């Protein structure tokens, strides 16, 4: 074998090693289609282009081994959603020029694995593609294991869902949390939930209760930080009449009220040391004694605690009982902060936006592409709770049904990721900035500014700003 043949073989092996998967693109605009193909091929994907559903159908008849289909929503003839029906087990990623939440939610309900707004950022597109193919591989593996009887069917359904018991999330950290909830919920084990403020610790506690054998019993939630230190023992354990000044009648405590169900103690790190000692007795002996009483009574309560503080550190500083700490952390669950959840950020933003608009009786608003970029870059110190409040404020302040970064009022330096020149783009490639310029120049005579903005998925203000920056002002109409 010659040296050149050997070298050629090694090169072919490297190409094979680099291959990421086979992708079918369904897009009628040649500019976008060819640009997307070059972007994907540079990452090692094998790409086939088609311009309509009819062409894509022919391609699928010839070869149904694609790992992903990327289809525009609006196509000549049949719409892109038809690809969901034709794809079978192949995941479909929908592109939409309108960045419309209505159409996006509709496609997700019909079975699309994900959607992305055009014009899209190259990095975001590659991330969505990788996630979609990874989901396909994971689901195929779970299906194979189920057929061999090694994986629970409910577990496979969990891994392919967008959430669990009302908690939304698709990232690895949240999927791990969902699997842990599913395992620990049916038991009576004490659970300690760790997570920053605003991550949804009470939602996790409720999911544990609702998926337990105690689901028909009561769930009592107590925020230990919200009750004055002088009243916390009376609130939790109850008191007898006359046990202290103001105790004009006997009172049942919250632990007793949770008998047969679940007691959720949020911010347990704020619990005074005396109350901690009483709580430890509940865990060890399964009984309580009201303040001012000499009689104990049995209770059947499952305890779930949560905190954003480091209880181990507090116990080393004698601010939290070490024995109680170890009794609480029989099972420890961690909720990842929003900044660590990747694409979950935009998925949550869209769901919260839909929910907020519905609550206010408004038509569903949409997020401008630069808003999506800003939300992805922001650190969200207040986590999901902060996002919920920011979106509610944005809906109130928005004037044209499109949410811009200014409406959110979040302090973030927004990178101009949309329409930017891609550093990796080859000289003969078309960047998204090129696409913006060409689209505006080709359509501005036939479209109003509002129509142009809607087609590009941005606000009129953003369209005007980009016109100024790129030196393509609106043509004056002749009279």
């Amino acid at each position: 074998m010659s040296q050149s043949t050997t070298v050629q073989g090694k090169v072919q092996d490297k190409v094979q090693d680099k291959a990421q998967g086979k992708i079918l693109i369904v897009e009628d605009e040649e500019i976008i289609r060819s640009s997307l193909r070059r972007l994907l091929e540079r990452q090692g994907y094998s790409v086939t282009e088609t311009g309509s559903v009819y062409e894509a159908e022919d391609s699928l008849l010839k070869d149904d081994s694609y790992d992903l289909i990327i289809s525009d929503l609006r196509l000549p003839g049949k719409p892109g959603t038809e690809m969901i029906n034709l794809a079978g087990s192949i995941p479909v990623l929908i592109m939409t020029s309108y960045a419309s939440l209505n159409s996006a939610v509709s496609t997700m309900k019909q079975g699309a694995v994900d959607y992305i707004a055009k014009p899209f950022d190259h990095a975001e597109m590659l991330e969505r593609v990788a996630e979609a193919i990874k989901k396909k591989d994971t689901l195929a593996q779970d299906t194979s294991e189920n057929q061999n009887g090694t994986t629970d069917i409910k577990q496979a359904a969990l891994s392919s869902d967008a959430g669990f018991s009302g908690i939304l999330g698709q990232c690895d950290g949240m999927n791990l949390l969902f699997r842990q909830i599913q395992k620990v919920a049916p038991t009576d084990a004490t659970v300690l939930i760790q997570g920053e403020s605003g991550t949804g610790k009470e939602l996790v506690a409720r999911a544990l209760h609702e998926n337990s054998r105690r689901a028909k019993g009561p769930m009592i939630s107590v925020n230990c930080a919200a009750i004055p230190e002088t009243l916390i023992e009376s609130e939790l354990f109850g008191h007898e009449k006359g046990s202290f000044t103001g105790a004009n009648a006997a009172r049942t405590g919250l632990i007793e009220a949770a008998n047969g169900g679940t007691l959720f103690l949020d911010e347990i790190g704020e619990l005074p040391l005396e109350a901690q000692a009483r709580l430890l007795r509940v865990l060890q002996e399964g009984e309580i004694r009201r303040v001012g009483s000499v009689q104990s009574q049995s209770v059947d309560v499952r305890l779930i605690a949560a905190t954003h503080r480091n209880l181990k550190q507090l116990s080393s500083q004698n601010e939290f009982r070490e024995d109680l700490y170890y009794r609480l952390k029989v099972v420890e669950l961690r909720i990842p902060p929003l900044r660590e959840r990747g694409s979950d950020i935009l998925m949550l933003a869209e769901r919260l936006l839909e929910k907020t608009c519905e609550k206010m009786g408004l038509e569903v608003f949409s997020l401008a592409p630069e808003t999506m970029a800003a939300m992805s870059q922001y650190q969200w110190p207040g986590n999901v709770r902060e996002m919920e409040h920011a979106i509610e404020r944005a809906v109130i302040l928005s004037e044209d049904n499109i949410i811009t970064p200014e409406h959110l009022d979040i302090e973030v330096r927004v990178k101009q990721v949309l329409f930017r020149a891609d550093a990796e783009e080859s000289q003969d490639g078309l960047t998204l900035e090129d696409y913006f310029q060409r689209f505006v120049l080709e359509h501005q005579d036939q479209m109003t500014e509002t129509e142009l903005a809607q087609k590009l998925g941005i606000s009129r203000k953003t369209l005007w700003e980009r016109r100024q920056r790129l030196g393509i002002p609106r043509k004056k109409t002749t009279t």
Side-chain angles (χ1 to χ4, degrees):
M1 183 182 292
S2 66
Q3 184 176 0
S4 61
T5 305
T6 304
V7 171
Q8 184 178 4
K10 288 182 178 178
V11 170
Q12 289 176 345
D13 289 342
K14 287 184 178 179
V15 171
Q16 291 296 324
D17 291 341
K18 187 184 177 186
Q20 302 288 329
K22 294 174 65 177
I23 298 176
L24 175 64
I25 299 174
V26 190
E27 167 62 67
D28 60 317
E29 292 193 40
E30 186 177 354
I31 297 172
I32 299 177
R33 191 170 68 235
S34 59
S35 178
L36 181 55
R37 174 181 56 78
R38 285 191 293 272
L39 172 67
L40 294 171
E41 285 180 341
R42 287 202 305 274
Q43 302 302 315
Y45 293 103
S46 172
V47 181
T48 301
E49 295 179 48
T50 57
S52 68
V53 172
Y54 298 105
E55 292 180 18
E57 191 171 3
D58 289 339
S59 198
L60 285 171
L61 288 173
K62 296 174 184 175
D63 182 4
D64 63 353
S65 63
Y66 292 103
D67 296 290
L68 178 66
I69 297 173
I70 304 175
S71 176
D72 190 19
L73 181 61
R74 297 179 180 272
L75 293 166
K78 295 181 179 180
T81 48
E82 283 294 315
M83 293 307 305
I84 299 172
N85 300 323
L86 296 171
S89 61
I90 306 171
V92 179
L93 171 65
I94 293 291
M95 300 183 292
T96 168
S97 299
Y98 295 88
S100 165
L101 184 61
N102 281 329
S103 59
V105 171
S106 176
T107 58
M108 296 291 278
K109 287 180 178 177
Q110 291 179 58
V113 68
D114 203 350
Y115 81 97
I116 190 169
K118 294 193 301 184
F120 47 78
D121 172 47
H122 285 189
E124 183 185 6
M125 172 59 83
L126 292 175
E127 182 182 351
R128 299 286 184 94
V129 167
E131 287 179 355
I133 292 177
K134 182 180 178 183
K135 283 182 184 177
K136 174 180 180 288
D137 294 339
T138 301
L139 185 60
Q141 181 180 355
D142 287 345
T143 302
S144 175
E145 289 177 350
N146 282 339
Q147 290 172 348
N148 294 329
T150 59
T151 302
D152 184 76
I153 294 175
K154 188 176 180 182
Q155 179 64 33
L158 175 64
S159 66
S160 64
D161 201 359
F164 182 77
S165 289
I167 310 170
L168 299 177
Q170 296 174 316
C171 68
D172 291 342
M174 292 303 291
N175 282 327
L176 172 61
L177 177 64
F178 297 151
R179 291 194 295 271
Q180 291 173 332
I181 292 173
Q182 189 184 25
K183 287 181 178 180
V184 72
T187 73
D188 275 341
T190 303
V191 179
L192 178 61
I193 304 170
Q194 297 272 8
E196 296 178 4
S197 295
T199 50
K201 295 188 286 293
E202 186 168 354
L203 287 176
V204 172
R206 191 162 296 280
L208 288 167
H209 173 72
E210 291 176 351
N211 290 276
S212 73
R213 293 188 292 266
R214 299 172 177 266
K216 294 183 180 179
M219 176 176 169
I220 304 295
S221 299
V222 184
N223 187 336
C224 299
I227 303 175
E229 187 172 337
T230 54
L231 297 177
I232 189 71
E233 288 189 61
S234 173
E235 288 289 322
L236 289 177
F237 304 97
H239 62 256
E240 297 292 347
K241 180 179 179 180
S243 57
F244 56 85
T245 303
N248 300 321
R251 179 174 179 178
T252 300
L254 295 173
I255 296 177
E256 190 177 344
N259 192 34
T262 303
L263 175 70
F264 172 53
L265 296 181
D266 196 6
E267 299 302 346
I268 196 169
E270 310 301 325
L271 198 64
L273 288 172
E274 274 190 52
Q276 291 178 30
R278 282 178 170 267
L279 182 61
L280 182 62
R281 181 173 178 80
V282 175
L283 293 174
Q284 291 177 334
E285 308 296 336
E287 60 182 32
I288 62 167
R289 183 163 54 85
R290 292 181 180 182
V291 176
S293 175
V294 295
Q295 298 292 328
S296 296
Q297 60 186 92
S298 298
V299 288
D300 175 23
V301 173
R302 183 194 192 172
L303 180 64
I304 300 173
T307 182
H308 73 282
R309 304 183 68 183
N310 187 329
L311 295 187
K312 188 173 184 179
Q313 183 179 353
L314 290 178
S315 64
S316 67
Q317 298 168 352
N318 296 321
E319 295 179 23
F320 196 87
R321 291 183 63 106
E322 188 176 30
D323 49 3
L324 177 59
Y325 167 62
Y326 287 113
R327 289 289 302 192
L328 290 174
K329 63 164 295 183
V330 175
V331 176
E332 191 169 6
L333 303 181
R334 178 184 178 271
I335 308 177
L338 190 53
R339 62 182 174 275
E340 296 179 3
R341 292 177 57 180
S343 60
D344 277 5
I345 293 174
L346 293 183
M347 183 268 289
L348 281 167
E350 288 160 353
R351 298 289 181 89
L352 289 172
L353 181 59
E354 181 183 15
K355 179 182 175 182
T356 301
C357 291
E358 183 180 349
K359 182 175 69 175
M360 294 185 179
L362 301 171
E363 178 186 343
V364 178
F365 289 17
S366 60
L367 300 170
E370 61 267 33
T371 305
M372 297 181 184
M375 297 183 89
S376 297
Q377 295 169 38
Y378 186 53
Q379 291 298 296
W380 297 108
N383 293 291
V384 181
R385 185 184 297 122
E386 181 187 3
M387 176 185 281
E388 187 173 11
H389 294 161
I391 287 176
E392 185 173 357
R393 176 172 55 249
V395 170
I396 294 171
L397 297 178
S398 177
E399 296 178 355
D400 56 1
N401 290 12
I402 297 177
I403 304 298
T404 65
E406 294 79 15
H407 295 140
L408 290 173
D409 193 29
I410 54 178
E411 294 182 4
V412 59
R413 182 174 295 177
V414 183
K415 298 177 183 177
Q416 295 297 327
V417 294
L418 299 168
F419 311 114
R420 75 174 187 268
D422 192 322
E424 297 180 357
E425 184 71 62
S426 59
Q427 290 184 352
D428 62 341
L430 183 74
T431 67
L432 293 173
E433 191 166 77
D434 295 334
Y435 169 71
F436 176 85
Q437 289 179 301
R438 185 174 299 183
F439 184 87
V440 171
L441 291 172
E442 287 181 357
H443 296 88
Q444 64 179 354
D445 293 334
Q446 295 80 34
M447 294 184 180
T448 65
E449 289 295 275
T450 299
E451 290 171 336
L452 276 172
Q454 288 178 341
K455 185 69 174 175
L456 289 166
I458 59 179
S459 66
R460 281 176 56 97
K461 179 183 176 184
T462 303
L463 175 60
W464 179 84
E465 289 173 347
R466 291 211 170 97
R467 278 182 174 280
Q468 304 306 307
R469 189 176 75 247
L470 298 173
I472 45 174
R474 178 72 174 173
K475 288 185 178 181
K476 295 182 179 180
T477 55
T478 57
T479 57

